[in-house]
Amino acid sequence: MADPPDRPAAAPDELEIRAAWRRDDPRIEADAIAFWERLGLLPPGTSPEQRAKELIAVAYRGDRLVAVSTATIEWFEHLRARFAVLRGATDPEHRRSRAQLALAMPSRDALERWALDHPEEKLAGGLAFVETGEWGDFARLPVWPQSDLALVGYTKDGRQVRAAWFDHYRLD
Ligand SMILES: CC(C)(COP(=O)(O)OP(=O)(O)OC[C@H]1O[C@@H](n2cnc3c(N)ncnc32)[C@H](O)[C@@H]1OP(=O)(O)O)[C@@H](O)C(=O)NCCC(=O)NCCS
């Protein structure tokens, strides 16, 4: 996960995961902004520059960024704790090649390390609102591999709510 500046690009068919959480890495941010703009993946009104500050980790194939995970930290009233609300997107040409699965554990680790270093943030874990149609049978798994996101309920509009608590976090 460390990113020495002179590292060679990964082989074109290999996924390389790079950490981005709270690093303000200009190269990764610029690549992510180009990714969102090229693919039109951001909802209208969302600033790519702002979303770039929410990057947790990214996946490259060769020198092309092909997938991102991002998070905003939000109070989640139903579980009465602050969570990193996770979002993921993969370049359509690179979907179903396990890019999101590859991002899941490094993303969780990066957030957990940061939470341990910033106890004042009281970050309890990760949370995802999942469009079940995007994930096929994967959405039927009670606990997702790599991310440990467990199904905790459904929103009124039918999305799954999935949560993974950090082991170090203690309820108030
Ligand atoms: C949803 C999304 C992030 C998945 O990214 P991805 O990199 O293709 O996901 P992965 O390859 O890591 O998939 C992991 C597993 O999820 C399931 N899965 C993912 N996409 C699926 C699909 N379109 N149909 C059925 N199952 C799917 C599969 O079980 C897959 O494992 P497998 O390919 O070995 O069977 C991607 O399709 C995307 O960017 N969609 C648009 C943005 C979006 O909807 N974000 C998430 C909203 S909840």
Side-chain angles (χ1 to χ4, degrees):
M1 287 283 278
D3 294 330
D6 56 351
R7 76 154 63 185
D13 57 338
E14 249 174 50
L15 270 178
E16 182 203 350
I17 305 300
R18 296 193 198 168
W21 183 246
R22 299 298 196 251
R23 289 188 178 204
D24 295 321
D25 181 315
R27 155 95 197 271
I28 291 179
E29 288 183 11
D31 287 348
I33 291 168
F35 164 89
W36 288 313
E37 289 183 339
R38 181 168 55 87
L39 300 169
L41 285 176
L42 290 185
T46 306
S47 146
E49 290 77 17
Q50 174 59 37
R51 188 58 67 87
K53 295 294 176 196
E54 299 164 1
L55 287 165
I56 316 169
V58 297
Y60 282 86
R61 272 220 164 86
D63 56 8
R64 173 159 278 224
L65 187 154
V66 299
V68 300
S69 65
T70 63
T72 48
I73 295 178
E74 297 173 30
W75 174 259
F76 188 62
E77 180 59 28
H78 300 284
L79 296 175
R80 302 193 57 78
R82 269 158 62 77
F83 283 88
V85 178
L86 309 167
R87 295 185 180 85
T90 300
D91 181 333
E93 278 183 31
H94 296 266
R95 287 184 188 165
R96 299 303 295 268
S97 65
R98 303 247 158 146
Q100 287 301 321
L101 270 183
L103 282 166
M105 202 188 289
S107 296
R108 184 189 160 112
D109 287 350
L111 289 170
E112 187 159 21
R113 274 198 306 275
W114 182 83
L116 283 164
D117 288 346
H118 297 84
E120 72 286 359
E121 294 279 348
K122 297 194 172 187
L123 187 63
L127 191 81
F129 295 95
V130 174
E131 309 275 359
T132 52
E134 290 285 337
W135 294 95
D137 285 347
F138 201 67
R140 300 170 70 88
L141 297 176
V143 181
W144 276 358
Q146 310 296 328
S147 63
D148 277 352
L149 286 165
L151 179 61
V152 295
Y154 288 84
T155 61
K156 282 185 182 148
D157 61 7
R159 288 174 299 159
Q160 289 184 342
V161 182
R162 288 180 171 265
W165 294 86
F166 294 144
D167 290 334
H168 74 264
Y169 181 78
R170 297 292 175 267
L171 298 167
D172 272 339

